[in-house]
């Protein structure tokens, strides 16, 4: 099976000379279609840096990153927006919705970026919000939605471009158990039924059983990879929240 | 226009109020300072600009319209003989003493003009008429200065240079840049009030025949009458404005005020727009993460700036109009001509766009830590 994300020997160093800080040491990682990859590790370990590199919003210092077989390290920066637009959907811990726009308009923005007409974008945004169970909240602004509802709008927005890769940063951190469960079920369904690769940075032990694989990052190094039951034991060992 | 650009400014009402306050403050400041400057220029040379004169003949070396010296009236006949001259009128403009009813004195500028020709006469007459000046010792003053001159209006009599003068009319808005109001009267009365000799005048005002080249006529007049200076109306205006603008503290202060007002206004608008744009930096970061091109983000930022500029300008124009209107009854004119209003609109657009462009670099340089920060 062709990997959707292929990271080879990637490093990231911020600054130069004496002030240089290595955020990511040589790292290899492959994510296949249908996988829900959990990335955990302490704060400042390099999780977000790796997620940003995989998301083509941060350049690696060295190494190779391929998204759907396309090398993105070293290509022109002006080409990266198209790569993100075509392949990646982002979900953020803080939702990052546009507060001035309704739920429907938030999703429409992503669709118009893809070049859809206003009317087509509206129709498709309505469908996506229905998929995440928010058909009755389309005209609400983010401030009028619960945390779980906001995150589901964010998911609908991330899915707007029908991306093969979903990158999520602590998607359940700000949610209660029920909302977090609903969000994770949505993401794992996407991976399982539609062959998407879902990479989730998390500290939340409640989401463990949704992951098909877990990697652990410490001091900028991908140290361990755990599968199935090992994940629970490892996260307990790290003292992550339950 | 993008939905985000249109909705962002209106979403946070407090932020919108702060942004608009900044823009309105800056634009009103510019309106007031530039309006004062334009008012200054207008006041210093209003009698020239509205004189209807084509060419001014003066004694040699007269620096400006308020600094005339007497010269023989008979030059008028030489001027009339020059080809292209339609008519020549005598004109007096000189400082004189106005005796207040209480006994003290005020300086005034007696403006004596030819009642038949009308060049150099008053405008905006709101009581009486020029015909009323045909009576002996009659004058027209501006209502702005009634209190200063110690009179109530038409019908009052006072003394100018110990000669009786009776107010037969009033004008509105004929300000004097100096502390001496203009007092309009016939040339004959003007001679009396300014102690001008019977065969002298302070100016000869020339009206050219239609279609005559004024520069050629000016040269011909200089040749024909070498012992007078000849100026076109624009030249006399420029000389007068330059004199008051650059040789008096008030002129330089007004000019500096206008320049500083513009600079402060630009800085305030730049700061306001920059701040309003940077407030949305996280949203722009999110857009970029979603795959938006920089051009899309530029468009949103510039559209937001244009919305703020247009709203701020509209409010500032209303406020500025009221300021200008209220100055009509004050001693300092604040002018807001249509050209300035139009220019201010484009200035507001330019200031807002330039300020937003400065914030664009910040908005489009994605910091992943910021985008992912909870």
């Amino acid at each position: 099976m062709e990997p959707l994300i292929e990271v080879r020997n990637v490093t990231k160093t911020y600054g130069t000379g004496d002030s240089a800080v290595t955020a990511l040491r040589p790292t290899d990682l492959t994510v296949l279609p249908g996988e829900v990859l959990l990335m955990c590790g302490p704060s400042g370990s390099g999780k977000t840096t790796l997620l940003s590199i995989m998301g083509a919003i941060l350049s690696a210092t060295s190494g190779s990153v391929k998204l759907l077989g396309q090398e993105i390290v070293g290509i022109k920066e002006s080409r990266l927006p198209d790569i993100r637009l075509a392949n990646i959907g982002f979900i953020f811990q803080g939702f990052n919705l546009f507060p001035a726009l309704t739920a429907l308009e938030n999703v429409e923005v992503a669709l118009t970026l893809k070049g859809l007409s206003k009317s087509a974008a509206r129709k498709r945004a309505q469908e996506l919000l229905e998929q995440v169970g928010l058909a009755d909240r389309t005209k609400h602004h983010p401030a009028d939605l619960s945390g779980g509802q906001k995150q589901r709008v964010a998911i609908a927005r991330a899915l707007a471009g029908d991306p093969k890769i979903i990158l999520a940063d602590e998607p359940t951190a700000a949610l209660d158990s029920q909302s977090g469960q609903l969000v994770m079920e949505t993401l794992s369904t996407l991976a399982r039924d539609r062959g998407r690769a879902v990479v989730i940075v998390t500290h939340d032990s409640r989401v463990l059983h949704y992951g098909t694989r877990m990697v652990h990052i410490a001091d900028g190094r991908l140290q361990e990879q755990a599968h199935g039951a090992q994940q629970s034991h490892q996260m307990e060992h790290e003292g992550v929240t339950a | 226009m993008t939905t985000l650009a249109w909705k962002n400014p209106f979403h946070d009402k407090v932020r919108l109020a702060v942004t608009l306050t900044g823009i309105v403050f800056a634009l009103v400041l510019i309106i007031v300072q530039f309006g004062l400057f334009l008012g200054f220029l207008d006041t210093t040379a209003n009698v020239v600009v509205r004189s209807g004169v084509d060419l001014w003949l003066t004694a040699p070396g007269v620096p400006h319209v308020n600094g005339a010296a007497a010269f023989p009236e008979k030059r008028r006949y030489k001027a009339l003989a020059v080809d292209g001259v339609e008519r020549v009128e005598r004109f007096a403009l000189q400082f004189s003493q106005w005796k207040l009813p209480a006994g003290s004195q005020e300086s005034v500028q007696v403006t004596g003009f030819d009642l038949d020709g009308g060049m150099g006469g008053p405008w905006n007459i709101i009581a009486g008429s020029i015909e009323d000046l045909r009576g002996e010792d009659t004058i027209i003053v501006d209502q702005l200065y009634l209190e200063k001159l110690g009179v109530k209006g038409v019908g009052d009599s006072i003394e100018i240079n110990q000669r009786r003068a009776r107010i037969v009319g009033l004008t509105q808005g004929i300000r004097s840049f100096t502390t001496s109001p203009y007092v309009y009267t016939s040339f004959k009365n003007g001679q009396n009030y300014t102690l001008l000799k019977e065969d002298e005048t302070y100016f000869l005002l020339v009206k050219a025949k239609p279609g005559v080249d004024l520069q050629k006529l000016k040269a011909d007049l200089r040749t024909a009458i070498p012992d007078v200076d000849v100026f076109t109306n624009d030249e006399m205006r420029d000389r007068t404005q330059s004199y008051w603008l650059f040789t008096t503290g008030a002129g330089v202060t007004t000019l500096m005020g206008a320049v500083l007002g513009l600079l402060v206004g630009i800085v305030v608008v730049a700061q306001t727009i920059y701040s309003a744009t940077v407030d949305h930096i996280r949203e722009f970061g999110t857009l970029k993460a979603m795959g938006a091109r920089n051009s899309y983000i530029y468009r949103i930022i510039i559209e937001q700036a244009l919305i703020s500029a247009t709203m701020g300008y509209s409010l500032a124009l209303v406020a500025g109009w009221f300021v200008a209107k209220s100055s009509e009854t004050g001693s300092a004119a604040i002018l807001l001509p249509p050209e300035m209003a139009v220019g201010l609109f484009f200035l507001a657009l330019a200031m807002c766009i330039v300020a937003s462009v400065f914030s664009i670099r910040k908005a489009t340089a994605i910091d992943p830590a910021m985008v992912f920060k909870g």
Side-chain angles (χ1 to χ4, degrees), chain A residues 82 84 96 105 118 169, chain B residues 7 282 288 293 371-372:
Chain A
D82 286 343
R84 289 195 292 270
N96 288 25
E105 289 165 342
K118 185 90 179 165
D169 184 43
Chain B
K7 293 208 165 183
R282 187 180 175 82
K288 189 145 185 185
R293 290 170 175 275
V371 176
F372 285 114

Side-chain angles (χ1 to χ4, degrees), chain B residues 76-310:
Chain B
R76 179 171 175 237
Y77 304 105
K78 284 191 174 180
L80 281 168
V82 174
D83 191 32
V85 171
E86 184 176 281
R87 65 179 197 269
V88 181
E89 296 170 12
R90 296 167 299 171
F91 186 64
L93 179 55
Q94 190 57 266
F95 290 91
S96 198
Q97 290 302 311
W98 171 292
K99 188 175 179 184
L100 277 75
S104 59
Q105 291 196 326
E106 276 284 352
S107 174
V108 294
Q109 292 181 84
V110 171
T111 309
F113 66 101
D114 186 322
L115 297 181
D116 295 324
M119 283 193 286
W123 61 98
N124 286 351
I125 297 174
I126 56 170
S129 68
I130 287 179
E131 285 305 305
D132 293 330
L133 290 176
R134 294 194 185 277
E136 198 173 347
D137 299 332
T138 51
I139 58 170
I140 290 177
V141 296
D142 196 277
Q143 65 167 5
L144 276 173
Y145 300 102
L146 289 178
E147 192 179 339
K148 178 184 172 73
L149 297 175
V151 289
K152 288 192 172 60
V154 174
D156 283 7
S157 294
I158 44 82
E159 285 183 11
I160 299 174
N161 260 349
Q162 300 178 335
R163 279 187 70 93
R164 178 175 174 273
R166 184 166 51 90
I167 299 173
V168 295
L170 296 174
T171 59
Q172 183 179 44
I174 302 184
R175 289 184 176 80
S176 163
F177 166 67
T178 67
T179 56
S180 310
Y182 290 112
V183 173
Y184 283 92
T185 188
S186 65
F187 179 76
K188 180 66 186 160
N189 283 335
Q191 278 182 314
N192 296 331
Y193 291 140
T194 60
L195 307 180
L196 191 65
K197 290 179 186 167
E198 187 74 19
D199 60 348
E200 285 184 334
T201 184
Y202 286 111
F203 297 95
L204 287 174
L205 308 182
V206 175
K207 192 71 183 173
K209 288 178 181 168
V212 168
D213 180 348
L214 291 182
Q215 289 302 331
K216 182 179 181 305
L217 182 57
K218 176 185 168 183
D220 292 346
L221 284 165
R222 287 190 70 104
T223 306
I225 322 168
D227 57 347
V228 298
D229 281 346
V230 186
F231 304 104
T232 63
N233 205 49
D234 287 349
E235 287 168 347
M236 181 57 87
R237 178 201 63 202
D238 293 345
R239 285 170 72 85
T240 303
Q241 287 178 337
S242 295
Y243 178 83
W244 292 114
L245 186 62
F246 297 114
T247 63
T248 64
V252 174
T253 303
T254 310
L255 179 61
M256 291 304 294
V259 173
L260 283 176
L262 183 63
L263 290 177
V264 171
I266 288 172
V267 169
V268 170
V269 168
Q271 182 80 20
T272 303
I273 291 291
Y274 181 84
S275 170
T277 306
V278 170
D279 265 5
H280 296 289
I281 197 94
R282 187 180 175 82
E283 292 166 38
F284 298 132
T286 303
L287 273 174
K288 189 145 185 185
M290 287 164 60
R293 290 170 175 275
N294 283 345
S295 57
Y296 183 82
I297 295 170
Y298 295 163
R299 200 174 124 202
I300 291 175
I301 290 172
I302 289 173
E303 283 176 357
Q304 285 183 186
L306 292 180
I307 290 168
S308 300
T310 305

Side-chain angles (χ1 to χ4, degrees), chain A residues 63-134:
Chain A
S64 161
V65 178
K66 288 182 180 172
L67 303 179
L68 283 76
Q70 182 182 10
E71 179 61 68
I72 64 166
V73 174
I75 69 167
K76 278 186 176 177
E77 199 174 329
S78 58
R79 288 187 55 202
L80 293 177
D82 286 343
I83 290 171
R84 289 195 292 270
L85 190 60
N87 303 316
I88 303 166
F90 286 99
I91 298 168
F92 307 97
Q93 178 183 351
F95 318 124
N96 288 25
L97 297 177
F98 304 114
L101 304 184
T102 63
L104 191 68
E105 289 165 342
N106 262 280
V107 181
E108 276 179 33
V109 167
L111 291 160
T112 50
L113 281 177
K114 292 280 283 185
L116 266 69
S117 68
K118 185 90 179 165
S119 57
R122 177 141 296 203
K123 187 163 178 281
R124 178 70 184 134
Q126 188 79 43
E127 290 168 4
L128 286 162
L129 287 171
E130 281 170 16
Q131 280 177 30
V132 295
L134 290 175

